[in-house]
Amino acid sequence: MHRIVLGLSYILALSCILALSASHADEIHRTVVSIGPFSVIQEHCDENQQYACDFNLYEHDQFRLPLVTAWEKGLNVELESPELIHLSYGFPFNAHHSIFISKDGVVQALDEVLAVDPKIGCIARMTWEDKANIMFQNTFSSKVAQKVQLEIGQEKLSSLGFLGAYQVIQQAEFDTNGNFHYRYQDQDGADQAASVMQPCLKSI
């Protein structure tokens, strides 16, 4: 009987701890970044460890839609302007995910974004398909403005397995005139530097 009472006491104590932990998790409500009436809120996670957090979009403090669910790391604010915000997340040497949010609350999710021109919102990102390509498109549009194929050997692509963009691209950036500059290793292992002039002003 004594053992049963001790067992019940332990279960009751554990239940209280779990209830307090759940209550504490529900209290987390941290603003990551805002644009106009829209805010990205981190919530439903442990405040100290930031474990398995939800990141949701709110409008005027009202829940609008989920962005990332049960994510174990934070979101990076890559770009913040009056027109849009760019958030990114992912593991090193693996798929890199981006979320774009406009001042009107339009949300766009893309993978393997290399760089964004903050002036006109031109996006450069990697796509793999049969070859390694850099695709250019405007934010909040699915239309491809231009595509550049990289001269990377199929053997190298196969040996790398599941690629992340930064396993191929060493440098990628837009200059102040909207021109895109990048550097990578070709199929012979030689460094190649190249530029694409104002890629989002053209259309394929």
Side-chain angles (χ1 to χ4, degrees):
M1 181 67 178
H2 182 62
R3 289 182 179 179
I4 294 174
V5 171
L6 286 177
L8 289 175
S9 299
Y10 175 78
I11 292 171
L12 181 60
L14 182 60
S15 299
C16 290
I17 292 172
L18 292 175
L20 287 172
S21 298
S23 176
H24 176 68
D26 288 338
E27 292 174 2
I28 305 307
H29 191 84
R30 185 180 73 86
T31 300
V32 177
V33 66
S34 297
I35 181 168
F38 302 96
S39 298
V40 176
I41 303 295
Q42 176 187 11
E43 55 189 345
H44 306 140
C45 60
D46 181 83
E47 185 174 23
N48 296 317
Q49 297 182 9
Q50 296 187 351
Y51 178 77
C53 304
D54 292 339
F55 294 86
N56 299 316
L57 184 65
Y58 278 72
E59 181 179 3
H60 293 299
D61 297 325
Q62 297 296 316
F63 175 84
R64 182 170 178 184
L65 57 88
L67 298 174
V68 182
T69 303
W71 175 238
E72 298 179 11
K73 299 179 181 291
L75 301 186
N76 303 309
V77 181
E78 302 288 350
L79 173 64
E80 185 177 358
S81 76
E83 299 299 318
L84 65 91
I85 53 178
H86 172 203
L87 301 165
S88 71
Y89 67 102
F91 292 105
F93 308 112
N94 209 320
H96 201 63
H97 312 289
S98 289
I99 299 171
F100 296 91
I101 305 171
S102 78
K103 63 181 180 181
D104 301 315
V106 179
V107 177
Q108 181 180 36
L110 294 170
D111 289 339
E112 305 293 13
V113 171
L114 297 170
V116 180
D117 180 355
K119 287 186 176 179
I120 65 169
C122 182
I123 299 171
R125 65 186 184 94
M126 289 290 295
T127 61
W128 304 108
E129 301 171 354
D130 296 329
K131 302 287 184 179
N133 300 295
I134 299 178
M135 307 279 278
F136 299 94
Q137 66 189 85
N138 286 299
T139 48
F140 313 112
S141 170
S142 59
K143 183 178 180 181
V144 176
Q146 193 169 170
K147 179 170 70 173
V148 175
Q149 182 177 312
L150 302 181
E151 297 300 325
I152 298 175
Q154 188 62 43
E155 183 178 342
K156 181 178 181 180
L157 288 174
S158 300
S159 66
L160 286 172
F162 184 71
L163 289 171
Y166 290 98
Q167 292 174 264
V168 175
I169 302 292
Q170 280 79 50
Q171 181 182 2
E173 62 183 2
F174 284 93
D175 64 24
T176 55
N177 295 316
N179 304 317
F180 180 71
H181 309 281
Y182 63 100
R183 186 167 56 85
Y184 74 103
Q185 286 189 336
D186 65 14
Q187 56 190 345
D188 298 319
D191 281 339
Q192 299 291 335
S195 300
V196 184
M197 301 297 105
Q198 299 181 328
C200 281
L201 297 183
K202 302 174 183 179
S203 182
I204 61 174

